[in-house]
Structure formats: C-alpha cells, structure tokens
C-alpha cells in the first residue's frame, strides 16, 4: 500500500483544526509539522491541537533538528503527543541545515560531519528514552547524564522513527536503525541558509538508495522509503508545469518528471509515476506540502491502491 502524509503548519486555530480533519477524512496517513524554531509554530503544540480534533491520523514533526533539540525534551514532547493522541505520535529527526537555528540557541552550526554525529547521538538517545532506558552520553557532540523518561510513558511500546536526510552516513545509519528513511533529495545548503542543491537525478537517487541498502543489510525488515515531495501539480500539461522548477534545479524537464520528489501531471500520469517509483526505487511513502491537500485528496484512494 502507498501512503501519503501531509506536512503543514497552522495560521490560526480554526483553519488548523479544519485542515487536520480534512487530511484525516481524505485518507492521509499522517499530519506532519515542520520544526524550525522562530520560523514556524512549534510542532508538538500544533500537533496536540490537531490530535484533539482527529482520531486516526498519525502525528509528528518532520523533522526535528537534532542540532538544537535535546533528547530529554524531544522524548518528552513525543511521549506527551503519543499520550494525548491515543498512540498516534511519530518521531522524525534530521541533522538540520539552517545556521540561524543554531545561533538562536547560542551555538554555531557544526560542519557536516559534526551535524551527522550529533544527529545520530540524539536519535539513539531519544529512542532509548522512549523505550524506557536510562541514558548517559558524554561526548563532544552530546552530553546527557542519567536521563530517564519516567512520565509520561508513550501509549505504544515503540514509536516509529523517521530519519530525513540525503547524507550518505545518515542514510546508512537510517538503513540500519530507522523505521522509515525520509529521502529528502537535498544536497548542500545554499548561502541563504534555507535553499539547497538537489540530488534528484537517477544516478544520485541510486547512490542514496545504495547507502540505505548497505545499512539495512542483515535486517529482517528493511526500513520503508519515503520521498519528500517539493511540488505537486495536477495538470494536463506536465512539461509546462515542470519547466520553472526544472530551470531552478538545473535538471531537464524529463529528469525532473522522473524523480519521486515532484508529482506533476494528470491524475493518471501521477498514479503511473507513483507506481513506477515503487517498482524502480522501492518508494512506498510520500510526504507532500499543505497545498497538495485538495489536489491529491481528490484521488488519494487511487494512489493508495497502487500495486
């Protein structure tokens, strides 16, 4: 089964509650909130509000910046969300990329290797806390002394972990340990601190998937693969709709339409693309932006049924 989740953020209480209900009614697997302190609403408060007006849809941050989040606080937020939602919380973690987020908490953004080490350490510590373990870590990347999440305890025995990344080391680690590998398809952060180079070409996708497969070697159940979709357009002229994004990313239109990071075309073309991505890449999960709620919601049952 193919699953689609929605990444969104609140603008006001009524619209957020309505969006959560509509996403659940349309059949989205989860409602995710971005985690960029100072730029968007804090995800766990927003998701707790969404939990109060829904009953089945999953809820999680997509994804929390391990560079500025501490395991004890992150685990407590996730466990509390799981409690108030009746067992619907998801744990999403990434290495982070926006320099301003580090500066806002009095730190300087580490280099890539430092961010990756910190991300792995935070992911391991947070999962251990959610699993009921006592955690002590004392390294240059993370310090935790005798932490234990005694209360609240999650409703479920194990909270699903998604690691969102395109970094080779993190892809291997996620292949070995995550429940879901969130394929971001994003490379070097550009000077604005927010935009990225993309890694969407066929060879680049295959290289990323090879890292996941290497990490997952020996696992009885490999992680699911999830693509973060940057653009959804339902149209009868896919080439025209894709032209601007292709130019912005340096890809040809043909290359762009072949990636799982955009879904552009008629309903039939998008269904066929999702089926092709499953066969070729093994992608069975997608996260789409808020503006895709109505266009995809109109034929989500067809997408979910793709074999």
């Amino acid at each position: 089964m193919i699953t689609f989740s929605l990444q969104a953020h609140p603008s006001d209480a009524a619209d957020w509650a309505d969006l959560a209900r509509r996403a659940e009614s349309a059949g989205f697997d989860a409602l995710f909130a971005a985690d960029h302190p100072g730029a968007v609403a804090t995800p766990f408060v927003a998701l707790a509000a969404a939990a109060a007006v829904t009953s089945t849809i999953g809820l999680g941050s997509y994804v929390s910046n391990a560079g500025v989040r501490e395991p004890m606080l992150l685990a407590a937020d996730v466990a509390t969300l799981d409690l108030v939602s009746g067992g619907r919380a998801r744990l999403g973690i990434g290495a982070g990329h926006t320099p301003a987020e580090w500066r806002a908490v009095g730190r300087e953004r580490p280099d890539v290797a430092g961010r990756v080490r910190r991300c792995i350490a935070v992911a391991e510590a947070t999962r251990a806390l959610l699993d009921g373990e006592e955690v002590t870590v004392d390294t240059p990347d993370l310090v935790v002394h005798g932490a234990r999440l005694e209360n609240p305890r999650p409703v479920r025995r194990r909270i699903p972990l998604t690691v969102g990344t395109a970094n080779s080391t993190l892809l291997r680690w996620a292949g070995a340990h995550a429940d879901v590998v969130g394929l971001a398809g994003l490379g070097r952060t550009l000077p604005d601190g927010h935009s990225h180079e993309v890694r969407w070409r066929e060879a680049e996708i295959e290289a990323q998937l090879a890292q996941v497969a290497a990490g997952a070697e020996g696992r009885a159940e490999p992680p699911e693969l999830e693509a973060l979709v940057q653009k959804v357009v339902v149209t009868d002229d896919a080439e025209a709709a894709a032209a601007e994004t292709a130019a912005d990313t340096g890809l040809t239109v043909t290359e762009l339409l072949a990636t799982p990071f955009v879904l552009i075309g008629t309903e039939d073309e998008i269904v066929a693309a999702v089926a092709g991505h499953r066969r070729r890449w093994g992608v069975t999960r997608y996260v789409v932006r808020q503006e895709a709620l109505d266009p995809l919601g109109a034929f989500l049952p067809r997408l979910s049924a793709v074999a």
Side-chain angles (χ1 to χ4, degrees):
M1 182 176 179
I2 303 294
T3 64
F4 278 77
S5 297
L6 189 74
Q7 186 194 56
H9 57 86
S11 56
D12 62 56
D15 284 350
W16 180 243
D18 180 63
L19 182 143
R21 293 190 192 98
R22 288 165 55 212
E24 182 172 79
S25 178
F28 284 90
D29 181 64
L31 175 61
F32 292 135
D35 191 6
H36 294 292
V40 295
T42 185
F44 297 103
V45 175
L47 293 165
V53 297
T54 58
S55 58
T56 60
I57 194 167
L59 302 161
S61 61
Y62 203 90
V63 288
S64 287
N65 179 353
V68 300
R69 297 293 188 188
E70 296 299 326
M72 186 72 259
L73 301 177
L74 183 57
D77 281 341
V78 173
T80 302
L81 179 61
D82 202 53
L83 179 71
V84 301
S85 68
R88 292 185 278 144
R90 314 279 180 88
L91 170 60
I93 289 182
H97 62 88
T98 307
E101 293 178 8
W102 273 267
R103 291 196 295 270
V105 297
R107 304 173 185 169
E108 286 300 315
R109 187 182 71 163
D111 61 11
V112 173
R115 296 201 301 275
V116 168
R117 290 194 305 270
R118 165 86 183 187
C119 183
I120 291 172
V122 170
E124 291 176 339
T126 303
R127 166 150 273 180
L129 288 165
L130 289 168
D131 288 346
E133 301 173 21
E134 183 174 302
V135 174
T136 294
V137 181
D138 195 346
T139 70
D141 303 299
L142 179 67
V143 177
V144 178
H145 294 302
R148 181 180 289 277
L149 183 63
E150 296 180 357
N151 190 50
R153 295 297 308 148
V155 172
R156 283 175 297 174
R157 184 186 64 82
R158 189 171 180 83
I159 302 292
L161 169 65
T162 295
V163 175
T165 188
N167 175 270
S168 295
T169 301
L170 264 183
L171 286 168
R172 287 196 302 274
W173 187 89
H177 301 284
D179 299 289
V180 178
V181 178
L183 300 169
L186 302 175
R188 184 177 63 89
T189 304
L190 298 178
D192 67 4
H194 300 279
S195 304
H196 300 264
E197 294 177 347
V198 300
R199 297 175 181 171
W200 292 357
R201 290 184 173 87
E202 177 182 343
E204 293 168 325
I205 295 171
E206 289 180 350
Q208 292 168 63
L209 296 180
Q211 297 295 339
V212 177
E217 187 174 357
R219 281 186 65 169
E221 293 290 338
E224 294 184 81
L225 300 177
E226 181 171 77
L228 176 59
V229 179
Q230 299 294 336
K231 188 170 186 176
V232 174
V233 183
V234 180
T235 175
D236 59 3
D237 192 347
E239 288 76 12
E244 182 178 353
T245 302
D248 289 343
T249 57
L251 276 67
T252 67
V253 168
T254 299
E255 287 174 328
L256 182 72
L257 293 176
T259 77
F261 303 108
V262 302
L263 295 172
I264 300 175
T266 64
E267 291 187 9
D268 288 344
E269 287 170 339
I270 291 175
V271 169
V274 167
H277 299 329
R278 178 171 189 161
R279 290 192 300 270
R280 184 168 192 178
W281 313 117
V283 175
T284 59
R285 305 179 69 91
Y286 293 83
V287 177
V288 298
R289 309 295 192 184
Q290 185 168 340
E291 56 269 19
L293 171 57
D294 291 327
L296 284 189
F299 62 108
L300 199 60
R302 287 188 64 193
L303 291 166
S304 300
V306 165

